[in-house]
Amino acid sequence: ELAGTRREPGHPAGHGVRERASALRRRNGSDVDDALRIVDDYRHAAQEINTLRASDAPDASRDLEYLEATYADLHDIIHRPARRAWQVLLSVLRDRIPAALHAMRVHVFAVTLLFVIAGVAGFWMVIAYPDLIQLFASPNLIATVERGELWTDGLLNVTPSAVLSVDILTNNVVVSFFAFCSGAIFGLGTFYIIGMNGLSLGAIFALTAQHDLAGRLFDFVVAHGCVELSCICIAGAAGSYIGEALVRPGTHTRAEAFRLASAESIRVLLAVTLLLIVCGFIEGYVSPNAEVPRWARVTIGVGFWLFMVSFLRGYVFGRSRGGAPVAS
């Protein structure tokens, strides 16, 4: 017998045990009694296998074969990893994303610095040579600003906030994914995307400054832009991290270095996508709303940026300096 299971006529030993093991495997959880019975079955199965191996009975080989299969099932049940999807997700958000960002901290700094330098360069170019704005803005946008208007004026009168949020969210995610994927081209794609975005933003601010509209553009951008631009830089840094793994694989093969870098970068991209979803709602409901005062926009922008920092460092999920990682 195995833990109270009788050998039924016409069935090999352990038939009921194997049925219990199969039933337990199909369930996501079990109570203490189920677990204890399976452990007892596992121990008794090992004992009976040893007994049958020493037996000369005619049907010993048939029963032994079935018991060994049952023993293997019980082994899989006892040693299978626990199914804790919520704990795996918590581990990713609390520990693995901060660890991945720490590994690519130099890339984040370098890409952010590139964006700032490009923005300052774009601003200076248009201030010094106003005709260069045609490289960064469409004729319609330039004409609108020259009339003393922003292209964002009356945006909610044309498109409902819900539709606008979805459109903006989609565009932001596409830009971030493009900055990420282009970084795999040995980092050259990230250099181009981040550099052009910085030049364009600086040039547009220079154009609006020449027509006394920079303050109004700042009001539109600040609520969502702090996090949105940070996310684009982080996505570009994740892409360049993959690009560097291809250029300098170290002790790994290029394929192995690419796989390891991609695993860390994808986690960061997940966090960026979640943050951009919130940015889309802010840009759809707050940024174009003329009734929201500047102080509220600055508060939302700076507050959300601080939340982003806490989110990416795992503090939102209870992580603290030197804290033990969540088991997953």
Side-chain angles (χ1 to χ4, degrees), residues 99-117:
L101 275 171
H102 181 76
M104 60 183 69
R105 60 192 182 280
V106 174
H107 302 79
V108 174
F109 175 78
V111 170
T112 303
L113 183 62
L114 169 64
F115 182 83
V116 172
I117 291 174

Side-chain angles (χ1 to χ4, degrees), residues 182-192 236 239-244 246-247:
S182 61
I185 311 174
F186 304 103
L188 298 177
T190 296
F191 181 84
Y192 174 78
S240 65
Y241 185 71
I242 295 177
E244 185 182 5
L246 293 173
V247 175

Side-chain angles (χ1 to χ4, degrees), residues 184-203:
I185 311 174
F186 304 103
L188 298 177
T190 296
F191 181 84
Y192 174 78
I193 296 298
I194 298 299
M196 286 303 300
N197 273 273
L199 285 171
S200 298
L201 183 63

Side-chain angles (χ1 to χ4, degrees), residues 262-302:
S262 297
E264 293 188 337
S265 298
I266 288 295
R267 297 186 189 115
V268 172
L269 200 61
L270 168 65
V272 165
T273 302
L274 294 176
L275 292 167
L276 286 176
I277 291 174
V278 182
C279 282
F281 283 101
I282 294 175
E283 196 168 356
Y285 286 89
V286 177
S287 297
N289 191 342
E291 297 180 359
V292 180
R294 176 176 293 181
W295 67 264
R297 296 170 184 267
V298 173
T299 301
I300 292 172
V302 175

Side-chain angles (χ1 to χ4, degrees), residues 126-204:
V126 173
I127 291 294
Y129 307 97
D131 291 341
L132 291 180
I133 188 59
Q134 298 177 23
L135 298 174
F136 306 104
S138 66
N140 289 336
L141 189 149
I142 296 172
T144 300
V145 172
E146 289 177 345
R147 291 196 305 267
E149 302 174 358
L150 280 182
W151 61 97
T152 59
D153 292 343
L155 197 58
L156 292 180
N157 296 330
V158 178
T159 307
S161 295
V163 177
L164 185 62
S165 294
V166 173
D167 289 343
I168 292 171
L169 165 64
T170 303
N171 178 72
N172 291 341
V173 172
V174 168
V175 171
S176 297
F177 270 70
F178 190 62
F180 170 75
C181 295
S182 61
I185 311 174
F186 304 103
L188 298 177
T190 296
F191 181 84
Y192 174 78
I193 296 298
I194 298 299
M196 286 303 300
N197 273 273
L199 285 171
S200 298
L201 183 63
I204 295 298

Side-chain angles (χ1 to χ4, degrees), residues 2-4 17 20 24 27 30-44 74 77-78:
L2 292 184
V17 176
R20 283 207 305 274
L24 189 61
R27 297 207 301 269
S30 60
D31 55 30
V32 175
D33 291 338
D34 286 337
L36 291 176
R37 290 187 69 186
I38 287 295
V39 172
D40 286 341
D41 289 340
Y42 183 70
R43 184 174 63 252
H44 287 294
L74 294 171
I77 291 293
I78 293 173

